[in-house]
Amino acid sequence: MSKTDGANGQSKPRLAVFKFASCDGCQLSLLDAEDYLLAVAGAVEIAYFVEARRQTLPGPYDVALVEGSISNEEQAEQIQEIRRQSSFLIAIGACATAGGIQALRNWQDVDDYINIVYANPSYIDTLATSTPISDHVAVDFELRGCPINKYQLLDVVTSLLIGRQPRVPTYSVCVECKRRGTTCIMVAQGVPCLGPVTQAGCDAICPAYNRGCYGCYGPMEAPNGAALAQQLESMGSSPDQIVRLFRGFNGYAEPFKATSDEYEEMGR
Amino acid sequence: MTSENGQKRIKVDYMARVEGEGALDIIIEGDEIKHLELNIFEPPRFFEAFLRGRDYWEAPDITARICGICPVAYQMSSVHAMEKILEIEITPEIRRLRRLLYCAEWIESHALHIFLLHAPDFLGYESAISMAAVPALLPTVEMGLRMKKIGNDLLATIGGREVHPVTPTVGGFYRAPTLKELQALKEDFEWGLEAAISTVAWTATLDFPDFAPDYEVVSLSHPDEYPMNEGRVVSNKGLDIPVEEFEQYFLTEHVAHSNAVQVHRDHGGSYQTGPLARVNLNLDKLSPQAQKAMQDTGIEFPNNNPFISIVSRSIEVVHAFEEALEIIDSYERPVPSRITAVPQAGVGCHITEAPRGMCYHRYRIDDQGIIQDVRIDAPTAQNLRRMEDDLRAFVPQVLDLPLEDATWRCEQLVRNYDPCISCATHFLKLNIQRR
């Protein structure tokens, strides 16, 4: 990773954190890394991070962490400028990597949504869609999760500092369940679970806490959504329920979208 | 902030150290405020729209995503509203575990606000990161981070993770923690209680502007406990109503300069909700050590100075640590951890006390349990008009300061509330212009 001169002539990588449409939960994960926050702040120059500091330094930046989805024209323009200013751009979280929960609008007429929520629709400036960062600019790395796992984020930042590829798994939540020693909740209790098609990274919390996975980390590498949906059907889920399960925080990620679209058609 | 042709303009394009995206724009001619707007440019995310058509039990998971700092408040308001519709009676054990979860969120969120978002203002630093670079202040920042971590550890123990916990659900918890898991946190909580008491003493020494407008403060109030999950809606101006009547007394308005919907009182006025309101209205319900810490400050409560909110927030951290210890000491694991029910059609609403104030939810569901209609009034949407009124009253006090200092003071006033802008989007840009 390239480095620029820091304030005292020291050479520290410049880190920037940007936000688009989101709940702030993923950038908050950096502040939630309480034991490491000051170490990170010492190892890099936090040049731009509006939730944490008033000081904002202009680019270029060595690493940009980008949270949130693109949901209005202004954002669509801003992300282009951020890309120009950043050597390494990392999309963090379900909003930035898959459009987030707000991408549920992508299946609806956004004007209907505006009318439901706002008394004066003409005041509202929004795109009809909520889309991931990679739909707009080249992204160097995507970190999944709703929210992201703070230890994965620290690993990604550390990896960049020491010049190795970040290591995040692309296998399913099922592998984490096995490793954790959790009995399969779908087999043993008949609970619908997206674990077989969802990427690992959360340490399979939900099954360990007695509920089915609801897909926070999005699709694993090469998931078989159709097979899981058939299994859910044979267990008694209706097409509507299958649509709702796949259409969650990562519902607009292509494999999840394909399965939900197919079952929506079926339910008609 | 700029000054030209005798006009002053305080303009903050992107408010720092708040959650979400907002801006402030103030134009002053002579001594008169010509224009004052707190803009929310956080784009709309349409939660109330896309909740329609989802299963009732999905509401706590989905509404948690409104806010990364206080997801529990959204989960809890939706859970209680659904339980009213489905006529679910929870057990005393589940109820106590919910209060413990609430203590965890108050600790992590308040510690974040006090140390990372707000304290730097009072000490003249642009961030806690800059504060930590000063050897004399490093221990304070480290103390704040440790308190925050302890709140997060409890959240993760009960909820599985800090942000967007996975266990809270309609009827209780998918899984309740064991006594052993909670007891493992006890030593940390004993340290935390002492740290929180010293935080109250420390925040009370900060330099507060002389500013105390007369305004309405509103919070829940419960007959025998400090309000978190339940109570009537009360104010210092005589309001005392059940949560079911909230919409008769609190109206929403969509203003042109903002993606946020503002909530105001039925008589048109603004009001404040949050830690200062809660402390003012529930002094006698604070835990013994929180009451003592408050008295030891020498600051008089009830108190109408919004800058004092950092002290009230710290007092609530003492309360949360003390109550959490008490709950952990007498913990009985709920069995079952969750009361189930059959869907039935109906309408239900509820308010819980998010760290930043009252969080109102109303749902209508059909007989299959599918959500038909939703209204959510986030704390920041409720505080927004009060923030603008505060600024109108406060700006004349800072007009003689250099423009940069005046701007910083105005930002600080807004950070008294820590506007959770993501939540209020339906909500903030600073821009003071002086002519």
Side-chain angles (χ1 to χ4, degrees):
Chain A
M1 186 166 67
S2 68
K3 293 176 182 181
T4 48
D5 286 343
N8 334 318
Q10 293 167 316
S11 184
K12 282 186 181 179
R14 291 160 64 91
L15 175 75
V17 182
F18 296 98
K19 171 194 154 63
F20 293 100
S22 69
C23 77
D24 282 40
C26 290
Q27 54 176 316
L28 187 69
S29 294
L30 195 57
L31 300 179
D32 274 348
E34 294 94 355
D35 292 340
Y36 309 97
L37 178 63
L38 296 180
V40 170
V44 300
E45 182 181 22
I46 300 180
Y48 190 96
F49 186 3
V50 179
E51 180 163 347
R53 67 192 312 175
R54 196 168 181 259
Q55 160 197 295
T56 53
L57 302 176
Y61 309 108
D62 295 295
V63 180
L65 302 175
V66 179
E67 172 194 273
S69 69
I70 303 300
S71 68
N72 64 21
E73 283 292 350
E74 201 179 354
Q75 293 180 331
E77 286 163 24
Q78 277 170 352
I79 191 62
Q80 300 292 338
E81 181 58 22
I82 290 168
R83 176 68 271 188
R84 278 193 285 275
Q85 295 286 334
S86 309
S87 304
F88 212 90
L89 191 154
I90 307 171
I92 59 170
C95 299
T97 61
I101 186 72
Q102 57 270 10
L104 290 176
R105 81 175 71 159
N106 299 2
W107 282 278
Q108 306 291 333
D109 180 344
V110 77
D111 290 332
D112 291 346
Y113 270 23
I114 295 173
N115 284 318
I116 288 170
V117 179
Y118 294 98
N120 295 306
S122 62
Y123 297 166
I124 297 301
D125 163 36
T126 183
L127 289 170
T129 54
S130 162
T131 44
I133 302 301
S134 61
D135 276 16
H136 300 264
V137 295
V139 169
D140 297 298
F141 193 77
E142 290 195 327
L143 188 63
R144 304 273 202 78
C146 181
I148 55 167
N149 175 327
K150 65 186 176 192
Y151 297 107
Q152 284 197 339
L153 178 63
L154 289 169
D155 182 69
V156 169
V157 172
T158 311
S159 295
L160 291 171
L161 291 177
I162 62 173
R164 68 161 163 83
Q165 272 292 314
R167 282 194 290 260
V168 296
T170 55
Y171 48 75
S172 78
V173 169
C174 293
V175 176
E176 287 184 318
C177 257
K178 301 289 171 288
R179 193 182 293 139
R180 197 166 169 152
T182 306
T183 305
C184 179
I185 193 160
M186 193 149 68
V187 171
Q189 298 182 41
V191 174
C193 178
L194 282 184
V197 294
T198 299
Q199 180 169 300
C202 63
D203 198 23
I205 307 170
C206 286
Y209 281 73
N210 206 25
R211 67 178 296 189
C213 166
Y214 55 101
C216 293
Y217 281 66
M220 65 180 288
E221 199 170 41
N224 192 339
L228 177 63
Q230 277 165 23
Q231 175 65 20
L232 295 170
E233 248 188 308
S234 71
M235 287 163 48
S237 292
S238 70
D240 281 354
Q241 287 168 330
I242 291 169
V243 171
R244 288 198 286 275
L245 187 59
F246 277 86
R247 220 169 263 183
F249 310 104
N250 287 282
Y252 211 64
E254 189 50 42
F256 284 6
K257 177 179 179 293
T259 304
S260 76
D261 286 349
E262 188 186 326
Y263 274 78
E264 186 173 54
E265 197 55 43
M266 218 178 275
R268 280 195 180 118
Chain B
M1 180 152 161
T2 56
S3 180
E4 51 187 66
N5 310 329
Q7 181 195 58
K8 269 194 176 178
R9 181 169 200 171
I10 294 185
K11 186 174 193 307
V12 177
D13 290 329
Y14 194 162
M15 283 282 305
R17 302 204 319 271
V18 298
E19 197 246 303
E21 295 184 283
L24 177 55
D25 191 0
I26 304 173
I27 298 175
I28 302 143
E29 275 181 26
D31 290 333
E32 200 185 336
I33 299 168
K34 284 287 183 191
H35 167 88
L36 190 151
E37 275 179 5
L38 218 42
N39 302 323
I40 304 305
F41 60 97
E42 175 89 30
R45 291 187 293 148
F46 302 115
F47 276 84
E48 283 121 320
F50 62 65
L51 277 160
R52 293 183 178 192
R54 307 296 297 206
D55 270 301
Y56 75 90
W57 56 265
E58 290 185 282
D61 293 326
I62 293 175
T63 58
R65 268 68 182 182
I66 292 173
C67 179
I69 299 187
C70 59
V72 169
Y74 288 91
Q75 294 185 318
M76 284 297 115
S77 288
S78 60
V79 153
H80 281 274
M82 295 299 182
E83 287 170 2
K84 286 178 185 168
I85 301 173
L86 304 179
E87 300 176 80
I88 296 175
E89 292 281 337
I90 56 157
T91 63
E93 290 78 19
I94 291 173
R95 192 176 185 282
R96 282 168 64 78
L97 185 55
R98 285 186 174 163
R99 277 189 78 84
L100 187 61
L101 183 67
Y102 238 86
C103 290
E105 177 156 286
W106 276 15
I107 292 168
E108 66 82 14
S109 172
H110 280 354
L112 169 80
H113 189 167
I114 294 165
F115 291 93
L116 296 183
L117 306 183
H118 208 190
D121 275 334
F122 289 98
L123 300 172
Y125 292 91
E126 59 81 36
S127 71
I129 294 160
S130 299
M131 274 171 67
V134 180
L137 291 172
L138 178 61
T140 304
V141 176
E142 287 177 333
M143 179 176 77
L145 286 172
R146 186 172 167 196
M147 287 165 64
K148 178 170 169 303
K149 181 177 181 343
I150 293 172
N152 272 332
D153 286 347
L154 179 58
L155 255 173
T157 301
I158 303 173
R161 61 184 172 200
E162 300 91 334
V163 179
H164 308 326
V166 304
T167 59
T169 186
V170 179
F173 292 85
Y174 287 104
R175 177 190 182 274
T178 63
L179 177 61
K180 199 176 160 193
E181 285 168 333
L182 291 177
Q183 278 179 334
L185 300 170
K186 215 184 140 181
E187 256 178 55
D188 277 340
F189 272 73
E190 282 163 353
W191 175 89
L193 178 57
E194 293 306 315
I197 291 168
S198 66
T199 301
V200 175
W202 174 67
T203 56
T205 65
L206 297 172
D207 184 22
F208 301 109
D210 188 13
F211 179 65
D214 178 31
Y215 57 89
E216 186 165 22
V217 294
V218 185
S219 81
L220 293 180
S221 175
H222 186 276
D224 34 52
E225 61 191 19
Y226 198 74
M228 289 178 178
N229 284 57
E230 289 166 32
R232 288 172 68 84
V233 179
V234 303
S235 86
N236 60 335
K237 304 285 187 190
L239 185 75
D240 183 356
I241 56 164
V243 297
E244 284 72 20
E245 290 175 19
F246 179 83
E247 291 183 44
Q248 293 166 42
Y249 294 86
F250 296 84
L251 311 178
T252 59
E253 185 180 345
H254 183 198
V255 295
H257 61 264
S258 177
N259 287 337
V261 171
Q262 293 188 358
V263 185
H264 59 85
R265 290 280 282 107
D266 56 322
H267 50 64
S270 62
Y271 63 101
Q272 187 190 120
T273 184
L276 189 60
R278 283 194 296 261
V279 168
N280 281 351
L281 294 165
N282 299 280
L283 287 172
D284 54 331
K285 305 295 189 321
L286 282 164
S287 69
Q289 302 225 48
Q291 292 208 23
K292 181 171 185 310
M294 179 178 71
Q295 281 150 11
D296 288 350
T297 62
I299 296 171
E300 226 172 281
F301 287 95
N303 194 300
N304 252 32
N305 184 342
F307 290 89
I308 297 286
S309 69
I310 193 169
V311 183
S312 59
R313 200 165 275 119
S314 310
I315 292 168
E316 287 197 334
V317 179
V318 177
H319 179 97
F321 271 114
E322 195 172 3
E323 179 160 348
L325 271 169
E326 191 267 319
I327 294 173
I328 291 171
D329 279 339
S330 59
Y331 180 68
E332 285 181 46
R333 195 178 191 198
V335 181
S337 66
R338 177 185 175 200
I339 314 295
T340 55
V342 179
Q344 60 179 29
V347 179
C349 67
H350 197 75
I351 298 175
T352 67
E353 284 285 353
R356 280 147 212 83
M358 299 192 301
C359 181
Y360 177 79
H361 291 218
R362 168 172 53 73
Y363 299 90
R364 179 164 58 83
I365 65 173
D366 70 10
D367 56 7
Q368 301 298 305
I370 304 296
I371 297 169
Q372 306 295 312
D373 188 46
V374 184
R375 172 170 163 180
I376 296 176
D377 289 336
T380 300
Q382 301 184 56
N383 279 328
L384 182 53
R385 187 166 289 194
R386 185 60 238 164
M387 287 180 226
E388 288 188 343
D389 285 350
D390 266 5
L391 283 162
R392 258 182 219 102
F394 184 66
V395 163
Q397 285 191 23
V398 298
L399 279 183
D400 295 334
L401 293 177
L403 290 174
E404 197 178 319
D405 293 350
T407 302
W408 194 345
R409 279 300 203 185
C410 290
E411 285 182 67
Q412 187 180 349
L413 182 64
V414 174
R415 282 193 286 265
N416 285 330
Y417 296 83
D418 168 21
C420 229
I421 296 158
S422 302
C423 308
T425 313
H426 311 309
F427 176 57
L428 175 84
K429 259 177 187 183
L430 188 61
N431 184 358
I432 298 186
Q433 237 183 61
R434 186 166 186 180
R435 295 176 205 194

